[in-house]
Amino acid sequence: MSTDGLAIQPSATTYELEDLVAQTWQGRVRVPHFQRDFRWGSRDVVRLFDSIIKGYPVGSMLLWVRQSGAETVTLGRLTISAPAGENTLWVVDGQQRITSIANALHPEGNRHAPFAVYYDFKEQQFVD
């Protein structure tokens, strides 16, 4: 059994939401093919944004830093031309959340359910 990978130690990095979304739109965050399909509905996406706006914890994400080739990536309703990179972030845990956020905040993604989420200023709540 090889122990080559044991020299790499896990680390924790905090990303600003805006930065993580921008990296996702640029194809620097990818979901591996072994992940289950996206399963969230509109209510789940609304609840996520409601938690974010209220400052509630939305959980951590587990991202695996790996080298990746250039490819076309589909994330929810977004099609992204992803460049090759040495430090691509592969989503091990958090796919539903990052897919929802990246699509709901993107002009192309938020045209489609379940990502068409809006904030009602009068009622001060998110609606789908």
Side-chain angles (χ1 to χ4, degrees):
M1 180 166 93
S2 174
T3 59
D4 294 338
L6 296 178
I8 300 171
Q9 295 296 312
S11 63
T13 303
T14 301
Y15 293 94
E16 294 292 327
L17 183 60
E18 182 178 2
D19 182 46
L20 190 60
V21 169
Q23 287 191 53
T24 302
W25 292 344
Q26 295 165 5
R28 293 189 179 115
V29 176
R30 302 187 196 179
V31 176
H33 296 290
F34 62 76
Q35 285 282 8
R36 66 184 175 137
D37 292 336
F38 184 82
R39 299 182 190 266
W40 276 16
S42 296
R43 291 301 314 153
D44 299 304
V45 177
V46 166
R47 287 182 184 130
L48 174 63
F49 275 88
D50 185 60
S51 293
I52 291 170
I53 201 79
K54 290 178 179 174
Y56 296 163
V58 294
S60 59
M61 296 180 65
L62 183 57
L63 303 170
W64 185 23
V65 181
R66 301 293 300 163
Q67 179 178 355
S68 301
E71 65 178 316
T72 300
V73 175
T74 301
L75 186 68
R77 299 297 291 222
L78 301 176
T79 301
I80 302 164
S81 294
E86 293 293 318
N87 296 311
T88 302
L89 302 174
W90 288 87
V91 180
V92 177
D93 182 51
Q95 180 216 159
Q96 308 296 314
R97 287 170 283 158
I98 193 62
T99 300
S100 296
I101 293 166
N103 277 266
L105 296 177
H106 194 281
E108 291 296 319
N110 69 19
R111 294 189 216 179
H112 309 280
F115 311 115
V117 177
Y118 303 93
Y119 189 77
D120 183 330
F121 284 98
K122 183 177 179 186
E123 298 296 323
Q124 296 186 351
Q125 65 182 10
F126 282 96
V127 293
D128 54 352

